[in-house]
mmCIF file of all heavy atoms in Angstrom:
data_model
loop_
_atom_site.group_PDB
_atom_site.id
_atom_site.type_symbol
_atom_site.label_atom_id
_atom_site.label_comp_id
_atom_site.label_asym_id
_atom_site.label_seq_id
_atom_site.Cartn_x
_atom_site.Cartn_y
_atom_site.Cartn_z
ATOM 1 N N ASN A 1 94.846 110.227 110.468
ATOM 2 C CA ASN A 1 95.416 110.146 111.819
ATOM 3 C C ASN A 1 95.179 108.783 112.457
ATOM 4 O O ASN A 1 96.069 108.245 113.137
ATOM 5 C CB ASN A 1 94.833 111.249 112.706
ATOM 6 C CG ASN A 1 95.433 112.619 112.405
ATOM 7 O OD1 ASN A 1 96.540 112.707 111.892
ATOM 8 N ND2 ASN A 1 94.688 113.669 112.694
ATOM 9 N N ASP A 2 93.987 108.227 112.252
ATOM 10 C CA ASP A 2 93.679 106.903 112.808
ATOM 11 C C ASP A 2 94.628 105.845 112.241
ATOM 12 O O ASP A 2 95.083 104.947 112.961
ATOM 13 C CB ASP A 2 92.231 106.517 112.508
ATOM 14 C CG ASP A 2 91.241 107.275 113.388
ATOM 15 O OD1 ASP A 2 91.686 107.894 114.373
ATOM 16 O OD2 ASP A 2 90.034 107.259 113.072
ATOM 17 N N SER A 3 94.926 105.956 110.948
ATOM 18 C CA SER A 3 95.849 105.009 110.315
ATOM 19 C C SER A 3 97.250 105.125 110.909
ATOM 20 O O SER A 3 97.882 104.117 111.258
ATOM 21 C CB SER A 3 95.901 105.264 108.805
ATOM 22 O OG SER A 3 96.899 104.473 108.187
ATOM 23 N N LEU A 4 97.723 106.355 111.068
ATOM 24 C CA LEU A 4 99.075 106.574 111.583
ATOM 25 C C LEU A 4 99.191 106.169 113.048
ATOM 26 O O LEU A 4 100.199 105.581 113.449
ATOM 27 C CB LEU A 4 99.466 108.047 111.418
ATOM 28 C CG LEU A 4 99.504 108.582 109.977
ATOM 29 C CD1 LEU A 4 99.866 110.058 109.966
ATOM 30 C CD2 LEU A 4 100.489 107.787 109.132
ATOM 31 N N HIS A 5 98.189 106.475 113.841
ATOM 32 C CA HIS A 5 98.236 106.167 115.279
ATOM 33 C C HIS A 5 98.103 104.664 115.546
ATOM 34 O O HIS A 5 98.684 104.145 116.502
ATOM 35 C CB HIS A 5 97.137 106.928 116.027
ATOM 36 C CG HIS A 5 97.362 108.400 116.067
ATOM 37 N ND1 HIS A 5 96.341 109.325 116.205
ATOM 38 C CD2 HIS A 5 98.506 109.126 115.979
ATOM 39 C CE1 HIS A 5 96.852 110.544 116.194
ATOM 40 N NE2 HIS A 5 98.164 110.448 116.061
ATOM 41 N N SER A 6 97.344 103.974 114.705
ATOM 42 C CA SER A 6 97.127 102.542 114.918
ATOM 43 C C SER A 6 98.201 101.678 114.276
ATOM 44 O O SER A 6 98.348 100.500 114.611
ATOM 45 C CB SER A 6 95.754 102.142 114.365
ATOM 46 O OG SER A 6 95.717 102.304 112.951
ATOM 47 N N GLY A 7 98.954 102.253 113.329
ATOM 48 C CA GLY A 7 99.955 101.463 112.611
ATOM 49 C C GLY A 7 99.325 100.535 111.593
ATOM 50 O O GLY A 7 99.923 99.524 111.213
ATOM 51 N N LEU A 8 98.121 100.878 111.127
ATOM 52 C CA LEU A 8 97.408 100.039 110.160
ATOM 53 C C LEU A 8 97.074 100.834 108.904
ATOM 54 O O LEU A 8 96.548 101.950 108.990
ATOM 55 C CB LEU A 8 96.112 99.500 110.767
ATOM 56 C CG LEU A 8 96.264 98.536 111.952
ATOM 57 C CD1 LEU A 8 94.902 98.243 112.562
ATOM 58 C CD2 LEU A 8 96.950 97.238 111.500
ATOM 59 N N PHE A 9 97.413 100.245 107.769
ATOM 60 C CA PHE A 9 97.036 100.839 106.487
ATOM 61 C C PHE A 9 95.685 100.247 106.111
ATOM 62 O O PHE A 9 95.533 99.028 106.056
ATOM 63 C CB PHE A 9 98.083 100.509 105.425
ATOM 64 C CG PHE A 9 97.885 101.227 104.117
ATOM 65 C CD1 PHE A 9 98.264 102.550 103.986
ATOM 66 C CD2 PHE A 9 97.334 100.577 103.020
ATOM 67 C CE1 PHE A 9 98.102 103.224 102.780
ATOM 68 C CE2 PHE A 9 97.161 101.243 101.810
ATOM 69 C CZ PHE A 9 97.544 102.561 101.691
ATOM 70 N N PRO A 10 94.647 101.072 105.857
ATOM 71 C CA PRO A 10 93.295 100.560 105.609
ATOM 72 C C PRO A 10 93.240 99.515 104.494
ATOM 73 O O PRO A 10 93.828 99.708 103.427
ATOM 74 C CB PRO A 10 92.513 101.823 105.221
ATOM 75 C CG PRO A 10 93.257 102.945 105.870
ATOM 76 C CD PRO A 10 94.700 102.547 105.815
ATOM 77 N N SER A 11 92.545 98.424 104.752
ATOM 78 C CA SER A 11 92.418 97.344 103.767
ATOM 79 C C SER A 11 91.787 97.839 102.473
ATOM 80 O O SER A 11 92.133 97.366 101.386
ATOM 81 C CB SER A 11 91.586 96.202 104.348
ATOM 82 O OG SER A 11 92.217 95.655 105.484
ATOM 83 N N ALA A 12 90.878 98.797 102.582
ATOM 84 C CA ALA A 12 90.196 99.331 101.394
ATOM 85 C C ALA A 12 91.162 100.058 100.464
ATOM 86 O O ALA A 12 90.858 100.254 99.284
ATOM 87 C CB ALA A 12 89.078 100.272 101.819
ATOM 88 N N PHE A 13 92.331 100.444 100.991
ATOM 89 C CA PHE A 13 93.314 101.162 100.192
ATOM 90 C C PHE A 13 94.343 100.234 99.560
ATOM 91 O O PHE A 13 95.256 100.694 98.867
ATOM 92 C CB PHE A 13 94.064 102.193 101.056
ATOM 93 C CG PHE A 13 93.213 103.338 101.527
ATOM 94 C CD1 PHE A 13 93.729 104.261 102.422
ATOM 95 C CD2 PHE A 13 91.914 103.507 101.080
ATOM 96 C CE1 PHE A 13 92.951 105.332 102.869
ATOM 97 C CE2 PHE A 13 91.132 104.565 101.516
ATOM 98 C CZ PHE A 13 91.657 105.484 102.411
ATOM 99 N N LYS A 14 94.250 98.935 99.803
ATOM 100 C CA LYS A 14 95.293 98.001 99.369
ATOM 101 C C LYS A 14 95.055 97.391 97.993
ATOM 102 O O LYS A 14 95.796 96.517 97.569
ATOM 103 C CB LYS A 14 95.447 96.880 100.403
ATOM 104 C CG LYS A 14 95.985 97.363 101.748
ATOM 105 C CD LYS A 14 96.261 96.206 102.684
ATOM 106 C CE LYS A 14 96.794 96.678 104.023
ATOM 107 N NZ LYS A 14 97.167 95.555 104.901
ATOM 108 N N SER A 15 94.032 97.846 97.308
ATOM 109 C CA SER A 15 93.733 97.320 95.976
ATOM 110 C C SER A 15 94.305 98.246 94.908
ATOM 111 O O SER A 15 94.357 99.471 95.089
ATOM 112 C CB SER A 15 92.223 97.185 95.776
ATOM 113 O OG SER A 15 91.674 96.281 96.697
ATOM 114 N N ALA A 16 94.718 97.648 93.802
ATOM 115 C CA ALA A 16 95.224 98.427 92.673
ATOM 116 C C ALA A 16 94.703 97.829 91.371
ATOM 117 O O ALA A 16 94.563 96.616 91.247
ATOM 118 C CB ALA A 16 96.753 98.429 92.670
ATOM 119 N N ILE A 17 94.413 98.700 90.443
ATOM 120 C CA ILE A 17 94.058 98.257 89.093
ATOM 121 C C ILE A 17 95.241 98.590 88.196
ATOM 122 O O ILE A 17 95.602 99.763 88.033
ATOM 123 C CB ILE A 17 92.775 98.942 88.596
ATOM 124 C CG1 ILE A 17 91.599 98.508 89.464
ATOM 125 C CG2 ILE A 17 92.516 98.600 87.136
ATOM 126 C CD1 ILE A 17 90.287 99.150 89.101
ATOM 127 N N VAL A 18 95.868 97.558 87.650
ATOM 128 C CA VAL A 18 97.081 97.735 86.868
ATOM 129 C C VAL A 18 96.735 97.805 85.383
ATOM 130 O O VAL A 18 96.069 96.909 84.850
ATOM 131 C CB VAL A 18 98.080 96.583 87.123
ATOM 132 C CG1 VAL A 18 99.343 96.781 86.290
ATOM 133 C CG2 VAL A 18 98.422 96.509 88.607
ATOM 134 N N LYS A 19 97.181 98.873 84.759
ATOM 135 C CA LYS A 19 96.963 99.036 83.321
ATOM 136 C C LYS A 19 98.316 99.169 82.625
ATOM 137 O O LYS A 19 99.168 99.939 83.071
ATOM 138 C CB LYS A 19 96.104 100.275 83.053
ATOM 139 C CG LYS A 19 94.690 100.159 83.605
ATOM 140 C CD LYS A 19 93.842 101.361 83.251
ATOM 141 C CE LYS A 19 92.424 101.185 83.776
ATOM 142 N NZ LYS A 19 91.558 102.338 83.441
ATOM 143 N N PRO A 20 98.518 98.398 81.553
ATOM 144 C CA PRO A 20 99.793 98.501 80.831
ATOM 145 C C PRO A 20 99.875 99.805 80.054
ATOM 146 O O PRO A 20 98.926 100.188 79.374
ATOM 147 C CB PRO A 20 99.751 97.287 79.885
ATOM 148 C CG PRO A 20 98.298 96.991 79.709
ATOM 149 C CD PRO A 20 97.620 97.391 80.978
ATOM 150 N N LEU A 21 100.998 100.494 80.197
ATOM 151 C CA LEU A 21 101.206 101.773 79.516
ATOM 152 C C LEU A 21 102.435 101.661 78.630
ATOM 153 O O LEU A 21 103.504 101.238 79.080
ATOM 154 C CB LEU A 21 101.393 102.885 80.555
ATOM 155 C CG LEU A 21 101.540 104.306 80.018
ATOM 156 C CD1 LEU A 21 100.254 104.769 79.360
ATOM 157 C CD2 LEU A 21 101.932 105.261 81.140
ATOM 158 N N LEU A 22 102.277 102.012 77.359
ATOM 159 C CA LEU A 22 103.400 101.952 76.426
ATOM 160 C C LEU A 22 104.492 102.917 76.877
ATOM 161 O O LEU A 22 104.224 104.090 77.153
ATOM 162 C CB LEU A 22 102.916 102.325 75.015
ATOM 163 C CG LEU A 22 103.737 101.836 73.824
ATOM 164 C CD1 LEU A 22 103.816 100.315 73.801
ATOM 165 C CD2 LEU A 22 103.141 102.351 72.525
ATOM 166 N N LYS A 23 105.730 102.417 76.984
ATOM 167 C CA LYS A 23 106.819 103.236 77.505
ATOM 168 C C LYS A 23 107.072 104.466 76.636
ATOM 169 O O LYS A 23 107.343 105.551 77.137
ATOM 170 C CB LYS A 23 108.093 102.395 77.613
ATOM 171 C CG LYS A 23 108.005 101.275 78.640
ATOM 172 C CD LYS A 23 109.275 100.435 78.646
ATOM 173 C CE LYS A 23 109.174 99.309 79.662
ATOM 174 N NZ LYS A 23 110.379 98.444 79.655
ATOM 175 N N LYS A 24 107.012 104.272 75.320
ATOM 176 C CA LYS A 24 107.170 105.379 74.377
ATOM 177 C C LYS A 24 106.170 105.188 73.245
ATOM 178 O O LYS A 24 105.915 104.049 72.832
ATOM 179 C CB LYS A 24 108.603 105.431 73.813
ATOM 180 C CG LYS A 24 109.672 105.755 74.836
ATOM 181 C CD LYS A 24 111.046 105.782 74.181
ATOM 182 C CE LYS A 24 112.145 106.080 75.200
ATOM 183 N NZ LYS A 24 113.492 106.064 74.573
ATOM 184 N N THR A 25 105.644 106.273 72.733
ATOM 185 C CA THR A 25 104.639 106.181 71.669
ATOM 186 C C THR A 25 105.216 105.599 70.385
ATOM 187 O O THR A 25 104.475 105.091 69.543
ATOM 188 C CB THR A 25 104.041 107.564 71.370
ATOM 189 O OG1 THR A 25 105.109 108.486 71.065
ATOM 190 C CG2 THR A 25 103.271 108.091 72.569
ATOM 191 N N THR A 26 106.549 105.651 70.247
ATOM 192 C CA THR A 26 107.180 105.151 69.021
ATOM 193 C C THR A 26 107.431 103.640 69.064
ATOM 194 O O THR A 26 107.801 103.049 68.052
ATOM 195 C CB THR A 26 108.526 105.873 68.795
ATOM 196 O OG1 THR A 26 109.347 105.710 69.965
ATOM 197 C CG2 THR A 26 108.300 107.357 68.557
ATOM 198 N N LEU A 27 107.230 103.017 70.221
ATOM 199 C CA LEU A 27 107.486 101.585 70.358
ATOM 200 C C LEU A 27 106.352 100.755 69.769
ATOM 201 O O LEU A 27 105.206 101.201 69.682
ATOM 202 C CB LEU A 27 107.691 101.225 71.827
ATOM 203 C CG LEU A 27 108.916 101.833 72.511
ATOM 204 C CD1 LEU A 27 108.918 101.492 73.995
ATOM 205 C CD2 LEU A 27 110.201 101.340 71.864
ATOM 206 N N ASN A 28 106.687 99.530 69.382
ATOM 207 C CA ASN A 28 105.723 98.603 68.791
ATOM 208 C C ASN A 28 104.749 98.117 69.870
ATOM 209 O O ASN A 28 105.152 97.446 70.813
ATOM 210 C CB ASN A 28 106.453 97.415 68.157
ATOM 211 C CG ASN A 28 105.517 96.486 67.414
ATOM 212 O OD1 ASN A 28 104.295 96.618 67.486
ATOM 213 N ND2 ASN A 28 106.083 95.552 66.671
ATOM 214 N N PRO A 29 103.442 98.423 69.743
ATOM 215 C CA PRO A 29 102.471 98.007 70.763
ATOM 216 C C PRO A 29 102.219 96.500 70.789
ATOM 217 O O PRO A 29 101.571 96.004 71.709
ATOM 218 C CB PRO A 29 101.209 98.775 70.366
ATOM 219 C CG PRO A 29 101.354 99.033 68.909
ATOM 220 C CD PRO A 29 102.825 99.209 68.668
ATOM 221 N N GLU A 30 102.731 95.772 69.795
ATOM 222 C CA GLU A 30 102.529 94.320 69.743
ATOM 223 C C GLU A 30 103.528 93.565 70.626
ATOM 224 O O GLU A 30 103.362 92.383 70.899
ATOM 225 C CB GLU A 30 102.652 93.813 68.298
ATOM 226 C CG GLU A 30 101.630 94.413 67.338
ATOM 227 C CD GLU A 30 100.201 94.047 67.716
ATOM 228 O OE1 GLU A 30 99.990 92.900 68.170
ATOM 229 O OE2 GLU A 30 99.310 94.903 67.587
ATOM 230 N N ILE A 31 104.590 94.265 71.059
ATOM 231 C CA ILE A 31 105.641 93.631 71.872
ATOM 232 C C ILE A 31 105.385 93.961 73.344
ATOM 233 O O ILE A 31 105.399 95.130 73.748
ATOM 234 C CB ILE A 31 107.038 94.119 71.444
ATOM 235 C CG1 ILE A 31 107.278 93.784 69.969
ATOM 236 C CG2 ILE A 31 108.112 93.481 72.317
ATOM 237 C CD1 ILE A 31 108.599 94.306 69.417
ATOM 238 N N LEU A 32 105.128 92.926 74.153
ATOM 239 C CA LEU A 32 104.712 93.128 75.540
ATOM 240 C C LEU A 32 105.756 93.840 76.387
ATOM 241 O O LEU A 32 105.409 94.594 77.298
ATOM 242 C CB LEU A 32 104.357 91.780 76.166
ATOM 243 C CG LEU A 32 103.137 91.072 75.568
ATOM 244 C CD1 LEU A 32 102.879 89.758 76.294
ATOM 245 C CD2 LEU A 32 101.899 91.965 75.631
ATOM 246 N N LYS A 33 107.040 93.603 76.121
ATOM 247 C CA LYS A 33 108.078 94.218 76.955
ATOM 248 C C LYS A 33 108.171 95.737 76.751
ATOM 249 O O LYS A 33 108.875 96.411 77.499
ATOM 250 C CB LYS A 33 109.437 93.570 76.701
ATOM 251 C CG LYS A 33 110.042 93.870 75.340
ATOM 252 C CD LYS A 33 111.423 93.231 75.220
ATOM 253 C CE LYS A 33 112.076 93.546 73.872
ATOM 254 N NZ LYS A 33 113.416 92.936 73.763
ATOM 255 N N ASN A 34 107.450 96.257 75.765
ATOM 256 C CA ASN A 34 107.437 97.702 75.545
ATOM 257 C C ASN A 34 106.456 98.428 76.473
ATOM 258 O O ASN A 34 106.322 99.646 76.403
ATOM 259 C CB ASN A 34 107.067 98.011 74.091
ATOM 260 C CG ASN A 34 108.191 97.641 73.127
ATOM 261 O OD1 ASN A 34 109.350 97.530 73.525
ATOM 262 N ND2 ASN A 34 107.851 97.430 71.867
ATOM 263 N N TYR A 35 105.779 97.649 77.315
ATOM 264 C CA TYR A 35 104.818 98.234 78.243
ATOM 265 C C TYR A 35 105.380 98.236 79.666
ATOM 266 O O TYR A 35 106.217 97.411 80.015
ATOM 267 C CB TYR A 35 103.507 97.442 78.239
ATOM 268 C CG TYR A 35 102.717 97.561 76.961
ATOM 269 C CD1 TYR A 35 102.962 96.714 75.890
ATOM 270 C CD2 TYR A 35 101.709 98.520 76.833
ATOM 271 C CE1 TYR A 35 102.223 96.817 74.710
ATOM 272 C CE2 TYR A 35 100.967 98.632 75.671
ATOM 273 C CZ TYR A 35 101.230 97.780 74.605
ATOM 274 O OH TYR A 35 100.494 97.889 73.458
ATOM 275 N N ARG A 36 104.890 99.155 80.464
ATOM 276 C CA ARG A 36 105.204 99.148 81.890
ATOM 277 C C ARG A 36 103.883 99.147 82.662
ATOM 278 O O ARG A 36 102.917 99.807 82.245
ATOM 279 C CB ARG A 36 106.072 100.327 82.305
ATOM 280 C CG ARG A 36 105.467 101.704 82.087
ATOM 281 C CD ARG A 36 106.480 102.791 82.420
ATOM 282 N NE ARG A 36 105.963 104.132 82.174
ATOM 283 C CZ ARG A 36 105.356 104.878 83.063
ATOM 284 N NH1 ARG A 36 105.167 104.417 84.295
ATOM 285 N NH2 ARG A 36 104.930 106.086 82.773
ATOM 286 N N PRO A 37 103.832 98.414 83.769
ATOM 287 C CA PRO A 37 102.580 98.351 84.531
ATOM 288 C C PRO A 37 102.434 99.555 85.464
ATOM 289 O O PRO A 37 103.304 99.834 86.272
ATOM 290 C CB PRO A 37 102.735 97.059 85.331
ATOM 291 C CG PRO A 37 104.220 96.928 85.517
ATOM 292 C CD PRO A 37 104.867 97.540 84.306
ATOM 293 N N VAL A 38 101.346 100.260 85.330
ATOM 294 C CA VAL A 38 101.074 101.402 86.203
ATOM 295 C C VAL A 38 99.872 101.073 87.072
ATOM 296 O O VAL A 38 98.827 100.663 86.562
ATOM 297 C CB VAL A 38 100.812 102.680 85.389
ATOM 298 C CG1 VAL A 38 100.418 103.826 86.312
ATOM 299 C CG2 VAL A 38 102.033 103.055 84.580
ATOM 300 N N SER A 39 100.039 101.204 88.368
ATOM 301 C CA SER A 39 98.964 100.883 89.308
ATOM 302 C C SER A 39 98.068 102.091 89.539
ATOM 303 O O SER A 39 98.535 103.143 89.967
ATOM 304 C CB SER A 39 99.551 100.417 90.641
ATOM 305 O OG SER A 39 100.301 99.241 90.472
ATOM 306 N N ASN A 40 96.799 101.932 89.224
ATOM 307 C CA ASN A 40 95.804 102.956 89.529
ATOM 308 C C ASN A 40 95.300 102.706 90.940
ATOM 309 O O ASN A 40 94.760 101.634 91.237
ATOM 310 C CB ASN A 40 94.651 102.888 88.527
ATOM 311 C CG ASN A 40 95.075 103.355 87.148
ATOM 312 O OD1 ASN A 40 95.085 104.543 86.865
ATOM 313 N ND2 ASN A 40 95.443 102.425 86.292
ATOM 314 N N LEU A 41 95.489 103.695 91.805
ATOM 315 C CA LEU A 41 95.150 103.563 93.223
ATOM 316 C C LEU A 41 94.079 104.574 93.601
ATOM 317 O O LEU A 41 93.919 105.605 92.947
ATOM 318 C CB LEU A 41 96.395 103.783 94.081
ATOM 319 C CG LEU A 41 97.611 102.918 93.744
ATOM 320 C CD1 LEU A 41 98.863 103.495 94.364
ATOM 321 C CD2 LEU A 41 97.387 101.499 94.221
ATOM 322 N N SER A 42 93.369 104.286 94.659
ATOM 323 C CA SER A 42 92.346 105.226 95.118
ATOM 324 C C SER A 42 92.999 106.535 95.553
ATOM 325 O O SER A 42 94.135 106.566 96.035
ATOM 326 C CB SER A 42 91.547 104.624 96.284
ATOM 327 O OG SER A 42 92.372 104.463 97.424
ATOM 328 N N PHE A 43 92.278 107.623 95.376
ATOM 329 C CA PHE A 43 92.805 108.959 95.651
ATOM 330 C C PHE A 43 93.245 109.104 97.102
ATOM 331 O O PHE A 43 94.332 109.604 97.392
ATOM 332 C CB PHE A 43 91.749 110.014 95.302
ATOM 333 C CG PHE A 43 92.197 111.423 95.515
ATOM 334 C CD1 PHE A 43 93.132 112.009 94.676
ATOM 335 C CD2 PHE A 43 91.687 112.188 96.564
ATOM 336 C CE1 PHE A 43 93.548 113.329 94.875
ATOM 337 C CE2 PHE A 43 92.094 113.489 96.771
ATOM 338 C CZ PHE A 43 93.026 114.066 95.922
ATOM 339 N N LEU A 44 92.418 108.639 98.027
ATOM 340 C CA LEU A 44 92.749 108.790 99.450
ATOM 341 C C LEU A 44 93.971 107.972 99.850
ATOM 342 O O LEU A 44 94.724 108.364 100.737
ATOM 343 C CB LEU A 44 91.551 108.410 100.313
ATOM 344 C CG LEU A 44 90.455 109.466 100.436
ATOM 345 C CD1 LEU A 44 89.369 108.993 101.388
ATOM 346 C CD2 LEU A 44 91.023 110.795 100.910
ATOM 347 N N SER A 45 94.168 106.813 99.207
ATOM 348 C CA SER A 45 95.353 106.012 99.533
ATOM 349 C C SER A 45 96.618 106.764 99.143
ATOM 350 O O SER A 45 97.632 106.723 99.850
ATOM 351 C CB SER A 45 95.294 104.655 98.827
ATOM 352 O OG SER A 45 95.539 104.774 97.436
ATOM 353 N N LYS A 46 96.564 107.486 98.028
ATOM 354 C CA LYS A 46 97.733 108.258 97.598
ATOM 355 C C LYS A 46 97.959 109.473 98.503
ATOM 356 O O LYS A 46 99.106 109.873 98.734
ATOM 357 C CB LYS A 46 97.570 108.687 96.135
ATOM 358 C CG LYS A 46 97.661 107.522 95.156
ATOM 359 C CD LYS A 46 97.706 107.967 93.717
ATOM 360 C CE LYS A 46 96.353 108.429 93.239
ATOM 361 N NZ LYS A 46 96.349 108.702 91.772
ATOM 362 N N ILE A 47 96.866 110.040 99.038
ATOM 363 C CA ILE A 47 97.012 111.154 99.985
ATOM 364 C C ILE A 47 97.693 110.666 101.257
ATOM 365 O O ILE A 47 98.596 111.314 101.782
ATOM 366 C CB ILE A 47 95.634 111.769 100.310
ATOM 367 C CG1 ILE A 47 95.026 112.409 99.069
ATOM 368 C CG2 ILE A 47 95.760 112.796 101.436
ATOM 369 C CD1 ILE A 47 95.866 113.504 98.451
ATOM 370 N N LEU A 48 97.275 109.497 101.743
ATOM 371 C CA LEU A 48 97.892 108.920 102.941
ATOM 372 C C LEU A 48 99.368 108.639 102.691
ATOM 373 O O LEU A 48 100.222 108.894 103.547
ATOM 374 C CB LEU A 48 97.156 107.639 103.348
ATOM 375 C CG LEU A 48 97.705 106.851 104.540
ATOM 376 C CD1 LEU A 48 97.915 107.742 105.754
ATOM 377 C CD2 LEU A 48 96.751 105.703 104.881
#
């Protein structure tokens, strides 16, 4: 509620850890374009 009322998204929620995920298990893991970046975010940031 504090975030919504103030119009501010908490700074602590603005960080992401990006891990490359192979798009399909059958793709060659040596080719970088076969990956997609998935952002791991804090649980509370996703709830907000």
Side-chain angles (χ1 to χ4, degrees):
N1 284 336
D2 285 347
S3 173
L4 299 178
H5 291 155
S6 65
L8 295 172
F9 188 78
S11 298
F13 292 173
K14 294 186 180 185
S15 298
I17 295 178
V18 180
K19 295 184 178 180
L21 184 66
L22 203 60
K23 294 177 181 178
K24 294 180 181 178
T25 55
T26 55
L27 295 175
N28 185 351
E30 299 297 323
I31 301 176
L32 294 181
K33 70 177 182 180
N34 289 339
Y35 291 87
R36 61 185 178 92
V38 175
S39 298
N40 290 276
L41 306 163
S42 66
F43 181 72
L44 281 184
S45 73
K46 290 189 285 187
I47 295 301
L48 177 51

